[in-house]
Amino acid sequence: MSKRILVVLGHPDNDSFCGAIANSYIEGAKAAGNEVKLISVGDLAFDPVLHKGYTAIQELEPDLVAGQAAITWAQHIVFVYPIWWGAMPALLKGFIDRVFLPGFAFKYREGSLFWDRLLSGRSAHLLVTMDTPPWYFRWVYRMPGHNQMKRTILEFSGIKPVAISSFGPIKDSSQAKREKWLAKANAYGRHA
């Protein structure tokens, strides 16, 4: 059964290895008969800063309105990004800050500690590159970026299950190793 898949490329440079992973995933997903849309955050025109937090409404730029529409459309969302300083790049975080707003991604219940997860019914897959060996990121650093994205953003908004695939270390990796990672991304797309 085909799915509506949104791929969000969170690396500011489309020509990065993350861009190659996103393209490989998209090729695999389309080959399997899925409908795929791509958002490259580096191509969007928006202010990544939520200047007043949630205390004032900050009008969404057209690219962010389109981003919310694509998220609403999607059944499965794939985020492709590098780990920089333990977490996602600032531009991707800015996109999330501006798009995953109260009333769109979640809604607090009046007089309660609980909230409604407004993006329920969707799944996600994180395809994440890093220069740190993935085992070190997991056992020594305790995966701060993975936990942030999976638990405190996506699952908080109702998106689950959330799968995570880490590729690394990218620094000094061979072409053969990169080809193997690209083939893996393509396979993930085929089996989304």
Side-chain angles (χ1 to χ4, degrees):
M1 185 168 108
S2 68
K3 286 186 181 175
R4 296 186 308 272
I5 300 173
L6 173 63
V7 176
V8 179
L9 175 56
H11 195 299
D13 180 4
N14 292 338
D15 294 328
S16 65
F17 188 63
C18 283
I21 288 175
N23 290 334
S24 187
Y25 182 95
I26 290 168
E27 287 172 11
K30 285 183 175 180
N34 297 296
E35 189 176 350
V36 183
K37 292 184 180 181
L38 171 67
I39 294 175
S40 296
V41 295
D43 291 342
L44 304 182
F46 73 102
D47 181 352
V49 178
L50 192 60
H51 291 277
K52 301 279 185 179
Y54 298 145
T55 62
I57 295 173
Q58 185 172 337
E59 188 173 340
L60 293 178
E61 295 86 346
D63 283 346
L64 297 185
V65 172
Q68 284 187 337
I71 291 167
T72 300
W73 167 86
Q75 296 170 300
H76 184 65
I77 306 171
V78 178
F79 290 87
V80 184
Y81 59 93
I83 292 291
W84 291 346
W85 294 107
M88 69 187 82
L91 190 60
L92 177 57
K93 180 62 167 57
F95 173 80
I96 290 168
D97 285 348
R98 295 289 316 284
V99 168
F100 281 64
L101 296 171
F104 174 74
F106 65 95
K107 181 181 180 204
Y108 288 118
R109 297 177 188 164
E110 188 73 30
S112 174
L113 296 174
F114 297 99
W115 64 98
D116 294 317
R117 294 165 172 87
L118 302 180
L119 297 178
S120 295
R122 293 163 184 81
S123 58
H125 195 165
L126 311 179
L127 303 179
V128 185
T129 65
M130 59 186 70
D131 284 335
T132 302
W135 66 267
Y136 195 89
F137 188 71
R138 177 184 179 101
W139 297 109
V140 177
Y141 290 145
R142 302 285 186 195
M143 306 183 302
H146 290 358
N147 289 325
Q148 176 190 34
M149 190 63 153
K150 178 179 179 173
R151 294 182 182 162
T152 66
I153 296 171
L154 299 177
E155 290 180 349
F156 181 90
S157 301
I159 300 172
K160 63 181 181 177
V162 178
I164 303 173
S165 299
S166 299
F167 302 93
I170 298 297
K171 185 178 185 273
D172 300 326
S173 60
S174 68
Q175 185 61 36
K177 185 67 171 176
R178 288 182 180 219
E179 292 297 327
K180 184 177 177 182
W181 288 330
L182 292 174
K184 188 177 273 193
N186 186 279
Y188 289 142
R190 287 180 184 275
H191 300 101

